[in-house]
Amino acid sequence: MRAYQDMVFSTAARIVANDAQAEDIAQEVFLKAFENFSHLSASPTAGGWLKTVATNLSLNHASRYRKRWRFFSEMRAADAEDDTPDVEFAAPETLLADLDLESRRGLIEQALQKLPDHQRLPLVLYHFEEMPYEEIAAKLSVSLAKVKVDIHRARAALAKALGRSELSSAALQS
């Protein structure tokens, strides 16, 4: 089980964007694993089981706070004339190319944590948990259109934040 602790923690941290809460969720995942140890100890799919449990517990945790972020995000959507994103922001192909893998991961994690929940959750579920849009909409109890718009806006915000980080890193290295 020790081999999976980083995966479980990073899964929870990406979804809840809070290291302390992710630690609590990881602990709960491993308590569930202990309860099911007889089944998991010899199972070749233990890693997948742990990732699924970590994802579900993280989503359950996020759903406790969902009313708050849904209220604000839907209020903003009601003010908008349509669901199309305000700005198209394409990330250059060279974005973060000069940084080593560990530095890139750190910058991406920092940028992810700065995203609002209504953007971060669908983005993480789509890109890191590889869930289809329809399943994300069902898990978050929002429309399919909202999931698509939130992921698109999250990508743009992430690319912008990473662009600023790259500029900051370049200035530090100079």
Side-chain angles (χ1 to χ4, degrees):
M1 294 297 151
R2 289 186 200 277
Y4 300 110
Q5 66 187 15
D6 289 340
M7 180 266 304
V8 168
F9 174 78
S10 64
T11 298
R14 282 187 191 109
I15 293 174
V16 298
N18 181 304
D19 287 351
Q21 293 170 353
E23 287 173 0
D24 291 344
I25 291 167
Q27 184 175 7
E28 192 173 342
V29 169
F30 285 109
L31 284 173
K32 289 189 180 296
F34 180 75
E35 292 168 358
N36 294 290
F37 187 75
S38 61
H39 304 295
L40 292 174
S41 60
S43 174
T45 61
W49 185 89
L50 289 167
K51 187 169 183 88
T52 300
V53 172
T55 300
N56 289 337
L57 288 176
S58 299
L59 287 172
N60 289 344
H61 175 81
S63 71
R64 292 183 198 126
Y65 303 100
R66 185 176 308 137
K67 286 183 182 175
R68 189 176 346 149
W69 66 260
R70 184 187 298 166
F71 173 75
F72 289 113
S73 66
E74 287 178 355
M75 188 168 65
R76 181 171 180 224
D79 294 340
E81 292 179 13
D82 59 353
D83 281 341
T84 57
D86 300 334
V87 178
E88 288 287 330
F89 186 87
E93 290 183 21
T94 59
L95 186 66
L96 305 177
D98 295 335
L99 299 175
D100 63 20
L101 184 62
E102 196 59 37
S103 297
R104 273 187 261 168
R105 282 187 183 148
L107 288 173
I108 290 169
E109 291 295 330
Q110 287 175 351
L112 274 173
Q113 289 187 0
K114 292 178 183 173
L115 292 175
D117 286 349
H118 69 276
Q119 290 179 352
R120 187 188 67 257
L121 285 173
L123 184 73
V124 166
L125 293 175
Y126 184 75
H127 287 289
F128 293 99
E129 305 304 319
E130 299 178 355
M131 284 186 189
Y133 289 135
E134 294 80 9
E135 188 176 342
I136 295 168
K139 284 212 180 257
L140 298 179
S141 302
V142 296
S143 70
L144 180 60
K146 179 160 176 36
V147 167
K148 289 179 179 181
V149 168
D150 285 344
I151 289 174
H152 182 80
R153 289 180 178 163
R155 286 176 182 152
L158 195 60
K160 241 182 223 183
L162 291 173
R164 284 192 297 266
S165 296
E166 183 181 52
L167 292 174
S168 300
S169 296
L172 289 173
Q173 292 175 356
S174 299

